Amino acid sequence: MGRVTLRLGGGLLTWLIVLLALLPVFWTILSSFKSLRDIVSPIPVLVFQPTLENYRTVLTTPAVRDGLVNSIIVVGSALLIGVVLGVPAAYALARFVRRLKGDIQFFVLSLRFMPPVAVALPFIALWLDLGLYDTLIAVIVTYCIVTISTIIWLGVPAFEQVPRAIEEAAALEGYGPFAVFWKVALPVAAPSLVGAVLFTFVITWNELLIALALTSRNVTLPVVAAGFTTLGMEVPWGVINASSVVLALPPLILVGLIMRFIDRYFSRPAR
Amino acid sequence: MNHSASPGTGQPRRLRPEHRRFALVTLLPGLSLLILLSLIASVGAINLAFQDRMLRFPDAAYVGLENFERLFRDRRFANALQVSAIWEVVTVVCTMLLAVLLAILLVEGVRSPRVRNAICILLIIPVLLPRVSAGLIWRFLYSPTMGAANYPLTMLGLPPIEFLSDPQIALYAVALVDIWQWGLFFGVVLAKLIETLPKEPQEAARLDHAGTLGVYWWVALPMLRGPIIMMTFVKAIESLRSFDLIYTMTAGGPGISTETLDLYAFQQGIGISGRISYASSLSVLLMVMTVIIFSILWKRAARWAA
């Protein structure tokens, strides 16, 4: 009997939690279409004349457009380097490294322990000394710590799940290790690898501290959005809401794909 | 997984030369870049920590342990240490509690797999939000004059709560955002893991008249001990990255009531003061602490979880 009540009440409670959990996001999206008069009203306005003014302001602000372009360049390049260097390394680690495998995997993971501030400070000094402070190249190279290590970390289990037999069959056909990797292992592991790349994309796209530390004018989008609140005397909430939505859009578009990756990763019997 | 010892896979004990060459060619560039960058980060930070470098001037002199001595007399450092400790405990404990309760609720309360999957997709939205967006969203909600979080109070004629400008509340108000992002996500992951468990032990416990919560407490959760320990570990590391959220929401204020270690290091090293060496000494301490603590914990957690 307790089970039945829990199930009924549980169903209701779950939906209530979903509603509460998404209310902040929903409210922000709604408010991004409101004029300032509807936003500052002490009583929440649900029916209003929607306006695209906030988005127009955000997207025509040069800082936002530059930030968007910079973010795309920085994240795209760091991700590309991460994939090119990380994916083959993950394969080699999964297949051809034995004695050092545990140590290398631990090293890669331990980079994730490093506090971002401890990474940012020495790199400021380095890029200043090299005359590269406030350039996109500096941010891209620094982000490579994150992209390469995350892709190796998540790529190793992806390749371990590839059945060895098909690789060996290909090797018997006369394929060398590069051909086996490129023509057999990579296509089979691809769905899991896409998840790893998406995950790495989300981390770097969302990153604030290092970008904030390493640049002053060539900033990425999170830095621009974070700076909106300190601008001017009157807090432009409509514009802030619109810019949070614009910034959050790329990771949110990927939510379905990422869920599939989570399913693949966790919905199998442990190990 | 230990492949080298697994019999029957036809795997030769010794690596063939072409495999050795492949491993060398593919591992060397990525790993050497990672090693180089991490050396720059760690050696660079330690080197800076023993100097008196300011951001505005390129030249600096070595000053020995002066920065560290100053640090231990710095009241603001002590405050940041305390704030960070509270942040760490509150966010880790509450995230895991929320995750466990939510997971049980999802598995027990929602029977249809398709509905459950749809709910799971909705619940991982918060964790995907950039922290800057999440921070701005909640700043808007918390606003005393127009925030939706205060609306139920003002509707009842009560005074609004100054969530982010009351030094007693601000840290917890920001922590709630972190728990909102991670607790929901971990709840979904844990629900997926519960689904993979064999059903028999739970049915057996049920025949022994254990209540639903009892079944989870005594049977299902102990079976997931390993993943739960690993998740707690991951959350503890992620919680150290409090900077983005706190910077966007309170920038350490009111006063220094939400100033964590990384935020203080940032303000000292990069903000107006630009005392990059002093900030480096702080970040070196932070780095040594986390790398040592988490390396030990990682080995122990791996053994525990096994």
Side-chain angles (χ1 to χ4, degrees), chain A residues 211-244:
Chain A
L212 191 62
L214 294 185
T215 55
S216 60
R217 272 169 303 133
N218 286 312
V219 293
T220 55
L221 201 54
V223 182
V224 178
F228 265 130
T229 48
T230 47
L231 263 176
M233 294 147 286
E234 195 179 337
V235 184
W237 275 113
V239 176
I240 292 175
N241 284 328
S243 63
S244 339

Short mmCIF file of all heavy atoms in Angstrom, two decimals, chain A residues 211-244:
data_model
loop_
_atom_site.label_atom_id
_atom_site.label_comp_id
_atom_site.label_asym_id
_atom_site.label_seq_id
_atom_site.Cartn_x
_atom_site.Cartn_y
_atom_site.Cartn_z
N ALA A 211 39.46 32.77 -19.56
CA ALA A 211 39.25 33.77 -20.60
C ALA A 211 39.30 35.18 -20.01
O ALA A 211 39.88 36.10 -20.59
CB ALA A 211 37.91 33.53 -21.29
N LEU A 212 38.68 35.32 -18.84
CA LEU A 212 38.65 36.63 -18.17
C LEU A 212 40.06 37.06 -17.79
O LEU A 212 40.42 38.24 -17.89
CB LEU A 212 37.79 36.49 -16.91
CG LEU A 212 37.35 37.72 -16.15
CD1 LEU A 212 36.49 38.60 -17.02
CD2 LEU A 212 36.57 37.31 -14.91
N ALA A 213 40.88 36.09 -17.39
CA ALA A 213 42.23 36.41 -16.92
C ALA A 213 43.18 36.72 -18.08
O ALA A 213 44.04 37.58 -17.95
CB ALA A 213 42.78 35.26 -16.08
N LEU A 214 43.02 36.01 -19.19
CA LEU A 214 44.03 36.10 -20.24
C LEU A 214 43.75 37.18 -21.28
O LEU A 214 44.56 37.40 -22.18
CB LEU A 214 44.17 34.75 -20.95
CG LEU A 214 44.73 33.60 -20.11
CD1 LEU A 214 44.92 32.37 -20.97
CD2 LEU A 214 46.03 33.98 -19.45
N THR A 215 42.59 37.82 -21.20
CA THR A 215 42.27 38.81 -22.22
C THR A 215 41.75 40.08 -21.58
O THR A 215 41.26 40.06 -20.45
CB THR A 215 41.17 38.30 -23.18
OG1 THR A 215 40.04 37.92 -22.41
CG2 THR A 215 41.64 37.13 -24.00
N SER A 216 41.87 41.19 -22.30
CA SER A 216 41.21 42.39 -21.82
C SER A 216 40.30 42.96 -22.89
O SER A 216 39.24 43.49 -22.59
CB SER A 216 42.24 43.43 -21.37
OG SER A 216 43.08 43.77 -22.44
N ARG A 217 40.70 42.86 -24.18
CA ARG A 217 39.81 43.33 -25.24
C ARG A 217 39.29 42.20 -26.11
O ARG A 217 38.15 42.20 -26.53
CB ARG A 217 40.52 44.39 -26.10
CG ARG A 217 40.35 45.80 -25.53
CD ARG A 217 41.28 46.76 -26.22
NE ARG A 217 42.65 46.30 -26.10
CZ ARG A 217 43.52 46.25 -27.11
NH1 ARG A 217 43.15 46.62 -28.30
NH2 ARG A 217 44.74 45.82 -26.91
N ASN A 218 40.14 41.20 -26.38
CA ASN A 218 39.71 40.08 -27.21
C ASN A 218 38.99 39.04 -26.37
O ASN A 218 39.47 37.92 -26.19
CB ASN A 218 40.92 39.44 -27.89
CG ASN A 218 41.43 40.32 -29.01
OD1 ASN A 218 40.65 40.78 -29.84
ND2 ASN A 218 42.72 40.56 -29.01
N VAL A 219 37.83 39.40 -25.85
CA VAL A 219 37.17 38.54 -24.87
C VAL A 219 36.21 37.57 -25.54
O VAL A 219 35.76 37.78 -26.67
CB VAL A 219 36.40 39.37 -23.83
CG1 VAL A 219 37.37 40.15 -22.98
CG2 VAL A 219 35.42 40.29 -24.51
N THR A 220 35.90 36.47 -24.82
CA THR A 220 34.92 35.51 -25.31
C THR A 220 33.54 35.88 -24.77
O THR A 220 33.40 36.76 -23.93
CB THR A 220 35.27 34.08 -24.84
OG1 THR A 220 35.40 34.10 -23.42
CG2 THR A 220 36.58 33.61 -25.46
N LEU A 221 32.53 35.17 -25.27
CA LEU A 221 31.15 35.52 -24.95
C LEU A 221 30.80 35.48 -23.46
O LEU A 221 30.13 36.39 -22.96
CB LEU A 221 30.20 34.63 -25.77
CG LEU A 221 28.78 35.16 -25.94
CD1 LEU A 221 28.78 36.55 -26.52
CD2 LEU A 221 27.96 34.23 -26.82
N PRO A 222 31.24 34.44 -22.72
CA PRO A 222 30.92 34.46 -21.28
C PRO A 222 31.44 35.71 -20.57
O PRO A 222 30.78 36.26 -19.70
CB PRO A 222 31.62 33.20 -20.75
CG PRO A 222 31.69 32.29 -21.90
CD PRO A 222 31.90 33.17 -23.10
N VAL A 223 32.62 36.18 -21.00
CA VAL A 223 33.18 37.38 -20.37
C VAL A 223 32.31 38.59 -20.69
O VAL A 223 32.03 39.42 -19.81
CB VAL A 223 34.63 37.61 -20.85
CG1 VAL A 223 35.23 38.82 -20.17
CG2 VAL A 223 35.48 36.39 -20.60
N VAL A 224 31.86 38.68 -21.93
CA VAL A 224 30.99 39.79 -22.32
C VAL A 224 29.70 39.76 -21.50
O VAL A 224 29.28 40.77 -20.93
CB VAL A 224 30.64 39.71 -23.83
CG1 VAL A 224 29.70 40.84 -24.21
CG2 VAL A 224 31.90 39.76 -24.66
N ALA A 225 29.09 38.57 -21.41
CA ALA A 225 27.81 38.46 -20.70
C ALA A 225 27.99 38.78 -19.22
O ALA A 225 27.17 39.48 -18.63
CB ALA A 225 27.24 37.05 -20.87
N ALA A 226 29.08 38.29 -18.62
CA ALA A 226 29.31 38.56 -17.20
C ALA A 226 29.52 40.05 -16.98
O ALA A 226 29.21 40.59 -15.92
CB ALA A 226 30.52 37.78 -16.70
N GLY A 227 30.05 40.75 -18.00
CA GLY A 227 30.34 42.16 -17.85
C GLY A 227 29.10 43.05 -17.93
O GLY A 227 29.14 44.20 -17.50
N PHE A 228 28.01 42.52 -18.46
CA PHE A 228 26.81 43.33 -18.64
C PHE A 228 26.28 43.91 -17.33
O PHE A 228 25.75 45.01 -17.29
CB PHE A 228 25.69 42.51 -19.28
CG PHE A 228 25.63 42.68 -20.76
CD1 PHE A 228 25.59 41.58 -21.59
CD2 PHE A 228 25.63 43.94 -21.33
CE1 PHE A 228 25.55 41.73 -22.97
CE2 PHE A 228 25.59 44.10 -22.70
CZ PHE A 228 25.55 42.99 -23.51
N THR A 229 26.42 43.14 -16.25
CA THR A 229 25.80 43.56 -15.00
C THR A 229 26.52 44.75 -14.40
O THR A 229 25.97 45.51 -13.63
CB THR A 229 25.82 42.42 -13.97
OG1 THR A 229 27.14 41.91 -13.96
CG2 THR A 229 24.85 41.35 -14.35
N THR A 230 27.80 44.89 -14.74
CA THR A 230 28.56 45.98 -14.13
C THR A 230 28.51 47.24 -14.99
O THR A 230 29.04 48.27 -14.62
CB THR A 230 30.03 45.55 -13.95
OG1 THR A 230 30.49 44.96 -15.15
CG2 THR A 230 30.16 44.56 -12.81
N LEU A 231 27.83 47.13 -16.14
CA LEU A 231 27.75 48.26 -17.06
C LEU A 231 26.67 49.25 -16.61
O LEU A 231 25.58 48.85 -16.24
CB LEU A 231 27.39 47.77 -18.46
CG LEU A 231 28.54 47.56 -19.45
CD1 LEU A 231 27.99 46.99 -20.73
CD2 LEU A 231 29.25 48.87 -19.70
N GLY A 232 27.00 50.53 -16.70
CA GLY A 232 25.97 51.56 -16.53
C GLY A 232 25.34 51.58 -15.16
O GLY A 232 25.66 50.79 -14.28
N MET A 233 24.43 52.53 -14.98
CA MET A 233 23.81 52.69 -13.67
C MET A 233 22.56 51.84 -13.53
O MET A 233 22.36 51.13 -12.57
CB MET A 233 23.44 54.15 -13.44
CG MET A 233 24.64 55.06 -13.34
SD MET A 233 24.28 56.70 -14.01
CE MET A 233 24.26 56.42 -15.75
N GLU A 234 21.70 51.90 -14.56
CA GLU A 234 20.48 51.14 -14.49
C GLU A 234 20.74 49.74 -15.05
O GLU A 234 21.27 49.60 -16.14
CB GLU A 234 19.39 51.83 -15.31
CG GLU A 234 18.02 51.30 -15.00
CD GLU A 234 16.97 52.04 -15.84
OE1 GLU A 234 17.25 53.16 -16.27
OE2 GLU A 234 15.89 51.47 -16.05
N VAL A 235 20.44 48.71 -14.26
CA VAL A 235 20.73 47.35 -14.71
C VAL A 235 19.77 46.99 -15.85
O VAL A 235 18.55 46.94 -15.64
CB VAL A 235 20.58 46.35 -13.56
CG1 VAL A 235 20.97 44.96 -14.05
CG2 VAL A 235 21.44 46.76 -12.39
N PRO A 236 20.30 46.75 -17.03
CA PRO A 236 19.43 46.47 -18.18
C PRO A 236 19.00 45.01 -18.20
O PRO A 236 19.53 44.21 -18.96
CB PRO A 236 20.34 46.80 -19.37
CG PRO A 236 21.73 46.56 -18.88
CD PRO A 236 21.73 46.71 -17.38
N TRP A 237 18.00 44.66 -17.38
CA TRP A 237 17.68 43.25 -17.21
C TRP A 237 17.18 42.57 -18.47
O TRP A 237 17.45 41.40 -18.69
CB TRP A 237 16.66 43.08 -16.07
CG TRP A 237 17.35 43.02 -14.76
CD1 TRP A 237 17.29 43.93 -13.76
CD2 TRP A 237 18.27 42.01 -14.32
NE1 TRP A 237 18.09 43.55 -12.72
CE2 TRP A 237 18.70 42.38 -13.03
CE3 TRP A 237 18.77 40.84 -14.88
CZ2 TRP A 237 19.60 41.62 -12.31
CZ3 TRP A 237 19.66 40.07 -14.15
CH2 TRP A 237 20.08 40.48 -12.88
N GLY A 238 16.45 43.30 -19.30
CA GLY A 238 15.99 42.69 -20.55
C GLY A 238 17.16 42.22 -21.38
O GLY A 238 17.19 41.10 -21.88
N VAL A 239 18.17 43.09 -21.50
CA VAL A 239 19.36 42.76 -22.29
C VAL A 239 20.14 41.62 -21.63
O VAL A 239 20.64 40.71 -22.30
CB VAL A 239 20.24 44.02 -22.45
CG1 VAL A 239 21.51 43.67 -23.18
CG2 VAL A 239 19.47 45.09 -23.19
N ILE A 240 20.21 41.66 -20.30
CA ILE A 240 20.94 40.59 -19.60
C ILE A 240 20.26 39.25 -19.84
O ILE A 240 20.91 38.24 -20.13
CB ILE A 240 21.01 40.89 -18.09
CG1 ILE A 240 21.92 42.10 -17.87
CG2 ILE A 240 21.55 39.70 -17.33
CD1 ILE A 240 21.98 42.55 -16.45
N ASN A 241 18.92 39.24 -19.73
CA ASN A 241 18.20 37.99 -19.97
C ASN A 241 18.43 37.49 -21.38
O ASN A 241 18.70 36.31 -21.60
CB ASN A 241 16.70 38.20 -19.74
CG ASN A 241 16.37 38.26 -18.26
OD1 ASN A 241 17.03 37.62 -17.46
ND2 ASN A 241 15.37 39.04 -17.91
N ALA A 242 18.36 38.41 -22.34
CA ALA A 242 18.56 37.99 -23.73
C ALA A 242 19.97 37.46 -23.92
O ALA A 242 20.18 36.45 -24.62
CB ALA A 242 18.30 39.16 -24.68
N SER A 243 20.96 38.11 -23.29
CA SER A 243 22.32 37.62 -23.50
C SER A 243 22.57 36.30 -22.79
O SER A 243 23.33 35.46 -23.28
CB SER A 243 23.36 38.67 -23.09
OG SER A 243 23.27 38.93 -21.72
N SER A 244 21.91 36.06 -21.63
CA SER A 244 22.07 34.73 -21.02
C SER A 244 21.49 33.66 -21.93
O SER A 244 22.03 32.56 -22.02
CB SER A 244 21.37 34.59 -19.65
OG SER A 244 21.12 35.78 -19.04
#
